[in-house]
Amino acid sequence: MKTYQPLPVSFTHGEGAYLFDSTGERYLDALSGVAVCGLGHAHPAVSAAICTQAQRLLHTSNLYRIGLQEELANELCRIAAMERVFFSNSGAEANEAALKLARLYGHRKNIETPQVIVTEGSFHGRTLATLTATGNRKIQAGFEPLVPGFLRAPYDDMDAVRTIAANSPEVVAVLVEPILGEGGVCIPSENYLGDLRQLCDEHSWLLMLDEIQTGMGRTGHWFAHQDTGIQPDVMTLAKGLGNGVPIGACLARGAAADVFQPGNHGSTFGGNPLSASAALAVLRTIEKDRLVERAAELGKLMLAQFEQRLGGLDRVISIRGKGLMIGIELDCACSELMQQALQRKLLINVTAGSVVRLLPPLILSDAQANDICSTVCELIENFPGQAA
Ligand SMILES: *Cc1c(COP(=O)(O)O)cnc(C)c1O
């Protein structure tokens, strides 16, 4: 179906931070399939795990115990300080699990029409519930009736959340991205998550963080909220978790960990041996190669270069980022930059109309990081206009 408008290129194979098209042309990937391939392409540890598992066992269903799924759950709980995990096949499904969990949590407290607070500018997926949670009219338009049970506040606006708290006794949870991804790499004020945590504690609401884009080392922490010292009740993951093998996860702790009981939720494929083996290889490689620390270090290096070369330009409104999640906001729509970068054999993204978004793989070399910076700077310096 005509759901996408792909750029005129198709890749046949990849290696590390590079992709190759059918003519043998090489492209530097500063997008990682939208924050998915954090270990780059054809990573030997991930490929080996998938190959080995494919020769052994792909799928059994959740009617039986799955050792690899249990192992992965234990590892995720260890690095995230959470207690239980539900596995899905995508980010939207991980958020669906979180939203169902929040409603059930509310019903168990005798709240009949539980409400979840979400924010403007957010992105949570394309299913009916998650597009309703998403704070972007373009994603919702035409799909009414939307799902009831959501209340919306501007992003990074505690007063708005406090006003909702004072007027809405049926709130059960807040679902928020620690950094807006699709919304334009927006980093909230330092106290935002901490203040949300406190408000959630005061009202016995669940704090649910959508770390689907920010998780798995992307921001220079395993999870973006770890920069703030707070702990969520529920956290969702997907994208970077499987390095391209579809897998999502909804993690919970405390009261949230015991909400789902047998029969309350499920998935045929979720957490099957193949996807669990891939995610385990991803997690262990990130840990072994210290890629979380590396993302933090590379991110600083790249931000400094962008600030130095682009900081003084009138057309550049702001340069922001954490780790290898970087946004450069221009004062005009600039989606043509994706095409111009492609001509320069560089893969970038433009989101929210005017924000150049970079999500390169965590395995990037210093030289590759410098290549990305110099090409992006040239493109922005010469924009609008013909690419060199
Ligand atoms: C990509 C994304 C999703 C949706 O994930 P899918 O796997 O496409 O369903 C949800 N939330 C955030 C923050 C995302 O970046």
Side-chain angles (χ1 to χ4, degrees), residues 90-92 95 123-125 177 182 210 212-213 239:
S90 67
N95 283 337
F123 181 77
H124 297 297
E177 293 168 79
E182 303 306 301
D210 179 342
I212 289 166
Q213 189 160 147
K239 295 210 164 91

Side-chain angles (χ1 to χ4, degrees), residues 170-285:
E170 297 203 304
V171 171
V172 293
V174 179
L175 173 65
V176 68
E177 293 168 79
I179 297 174
L180 294 183
E182 303 306 301
V185 192
C186 303
I187 302 170
S189 26
E190 220 175 297
N191 298 331
Y192 184 50
L193 291 186
D195 290 349
L196 280 176
R197 178 69 273 174
Q198 199 182 337
L199 196 67
C200 285
D201 288 340
E202 283 166 22
H203 295 271
S204 302
W205 300 345
L206 301 179
L207 178 60
M208 310 202 297
L209 296 183
D210 179 342
E211 293 246 19
I212 289 166
Q213 189 160 147
T214 51
M216 300 309 289
R218 173 60 47 193
T219 68
H221 298 271
W222 269 112
F223 308 105
H225 71 266
Q226 291 173 335
D227 196 24
T228 69
I230 63 120
Q231 187 68 18
D233 301 295
V234 174
M235 171 172 76
T236 53
L237 299 175
K239 295 210 164 91
L241 181 56
N243 211 59
V245 175
I247 181 168
C250 175
L251 290 74
R253 72 173 179 103
D258 292 315
V259 171
F260 281 147
Q261 294 298 317
N264 286 144
H265 196 42
S267 166
T268 297
F269 294 130
N272 83 7
L274 183 74
S275 63
S277 71
L280 266 172
V282 168
L283 199 151
R284 287 176 178 150
T285 303

